[in-house]
């Protein structure tokens, strides 16, 4: 693992390698909060089975706009991976922050933001992270046991190298941040909705209060999903924060099951 080649990052970014299974997102949030990391610091994991990065930013925007970086990161990821993997692999999004390959979960985006603001009213820092499963899912699983999970290799990207993926992600993140700085959130939103699974269709949204069924109308300025209930009534906004927390819970359950299956195989 220590022989993994170092990625080459754009001049505006400073790379920080994490070994031993450490997760860049958690490390970046802790480091940003303690002021150890600042804008442009990009943490990446040397774990060859996953592509995990986290970028610290200090955008000059009001706190409510920070969440736009979550959707920007997803758009940048599909652009970056789409240029490297076979064209027949369909990369899409499941709200709020799931990345899919051919309909199965291959990764996710993550977001955290300081509660404190500076004199200009902007958050002191924010961190956006991307996590992708590169190698096949571990564990002694029977066919179909976890069909909702996949990896880029499983979907046909066997030749995709870890270093190339990390470098491409960093470049596309900067490109989209520049576009967002010039043109605002609209181009990000348009590109996100273009790849959003179920947009303008009836969907089922799992959440902390159970499943909700209805027509996916879009997302609002807070990142909440606008849903027209299947049983009639006015459209409702499903809160982003609650569903991000529910996604964390789903990820923990899947990780526990994969670990259990791996233990059963040994």
């Amino acid at each position: 693992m220590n022989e993994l080649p170092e990625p080459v990052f754009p001049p505006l970014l400073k790379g920080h390698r994490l070994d031993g299974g450490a997760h860049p997102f958690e490390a970046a949030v802790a480091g940003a909060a303690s002021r150890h990391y600042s804008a442009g610091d990009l943490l990446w994991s040397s774990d060859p089975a996953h592509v995990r990065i986290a970028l610290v930013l200090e955008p000059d925007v009001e706190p409510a706009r920070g969440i736009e970086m979550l959707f920007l990161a997803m758009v940048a990821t599909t652009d970056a991976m789409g240029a490297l993997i076979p064209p027949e692999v369909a990369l899409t999004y499941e709200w709020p922050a799931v990345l899919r390959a051919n309909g199965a979960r291959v990764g996710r985006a993550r977001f955290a933001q300081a509660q404190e603001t500076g004199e200009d009213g902007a958050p002191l820092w924010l961190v956006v992270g991307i996590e992708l499963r590169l190698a096949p899912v571990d564990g002694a699983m029977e066919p179909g046991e976890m069909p909702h999970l996949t990896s880029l290799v499983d979907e046909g990207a066997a030749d995709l190298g870890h270093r190339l993926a990390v470098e491409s992600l960093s470049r596309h993140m900067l490109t989209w941040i520049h576009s967002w700085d010039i043109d605002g959130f609209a181009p990000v939103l348009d590109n996100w909705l273009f790849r959003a699974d179920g947009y303008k269709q009836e969907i089922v949204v799992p959440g902390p209060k159970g499943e909700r069924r209805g027509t996916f109308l879009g997302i609002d300025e807070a990142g909440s999903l606008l849903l027209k209930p299947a049983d009639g009534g006015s459209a409702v906004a499903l809160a982003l924060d609650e569903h991000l927390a529910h996604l964390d819970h789903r990820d923990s359950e899947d990780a526990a099951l994969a670990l259990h299956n791996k233990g059963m195989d040994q």
Side-chain angles (χ1 to χ4, degrees):
M1 181 179 297
N2 290 331
E3 296 178 358
L4 197 71
E6 298 285 330
V8 177
F9 296 110
L12 293 177
L13 301 180
K14 181 179 180 181
H16 302 271
R17 174 179 177 141
L18 298 183
D19 294 320
H23 285 223
F25 181 77
E26 285 81 359
V29 170
S34 67
R35 309 308 291 168
H36 179 69
Y37 296 126
S38 58
D41 283 317
L42 187 145
L43 285 68
W44 63 281
S45 169
S46 66
D47 175 6
H50 298 83
V51 176
R52 295 189 177 111
I53 70 168
L55 178 61
V56 181
L57 298 169
E58 297 173 4
D60 185 18
V61 296
E62 60 186 23
R65 290 196 59 198
I67 196 61
E68 295 174 8
M69 290 295 106
L70 177 73
F71 298 95
L72 183 151
M74 286 186 271
V75 171
T77 299
T78 51
D79 272 8
M81 296 301 104
L84 299 175
I85 65 179
E88 60 269 20
V89 180
L91 299 175
T92 57
Y93 318 123
E94 174 196 345
W95 182 86
V98 172
L99 297 161
R100 284 178 168 177
N102 292 333
R105 289 168 54 195
V106 73
R108 65 170 297 185
R110 302 185 69 181
F111 172 82
Q113 180 172 268
Q115 297 296 318
E116 303 86 356
T117 60
E119 294 181 357
D120 58 357
L124 293 181
W125 55 265
L126 68 80
V127 174
V128 63
I130 291 293
E131 300 175 355
L132 292 169
R133 193 174 298 105
L134 182 58
V137 180
D138 289 334
M141 291 178 288
E142 297 296 329
E145 185 175 350
M146 296 179 75
H148 61 296
L149 299 180
T150 191
S151 73
L152 291 174
V153 169
D154 284 323
E155 299 304 323
D159 296 329
L160 178 59
H162 182 276
R163 172 182 173 178
L164 184 60
V166 170
E167 290 178 343
S168 184
L169 267 175
S170 68
R171 292 194 302 270
H172 281 81
M173 285 284 286
L174 276 187
T175 297
W176 271 102
I177 290 171
H178 176 72
S179 173
W180 170 86
D181 191 43
I182 299 298
D183 300 320
F185 185 54
V188 175
L189 179 58
D190 288 344
N191 278 270
W192 191 90
L193 289 173
F194 178 75
R195 290 183 181 269
D197 285 328
Y199 177 47
K200 294 186 177 180
Q201 301 173 13
E202 185 170 295
I203 62 172
V204 176
V205 183
K209 300 176 183 177
E211 294 183 343
R212 302 288 295 271
R213 182 183 296 273
T215 301
F216 178 10
L217 301 178
I219 60 174
D220 66 13
E221 65 278 1
S224 300
L225 186 143
L226 302 177
L227 192 73
K228 178 71 172 178
D231 56 0
S234 302
V236 296
L238 305 184
L240 179 70
D241 288 348
E242 291 182 2
H243 285 76
L244 285 175
H246 183 68
L247 179 56
D248 290 340
H249 178 68
R250 288 166 57 189
D251 280 354
S252 296
E253 288 184 335
D254 286 336
L257 179 57
L259 183 62
H260 171 74
N261 288 332
K262 186 175 183 179
M264 293 290 289
D265 188 43
Q266 293 176 341

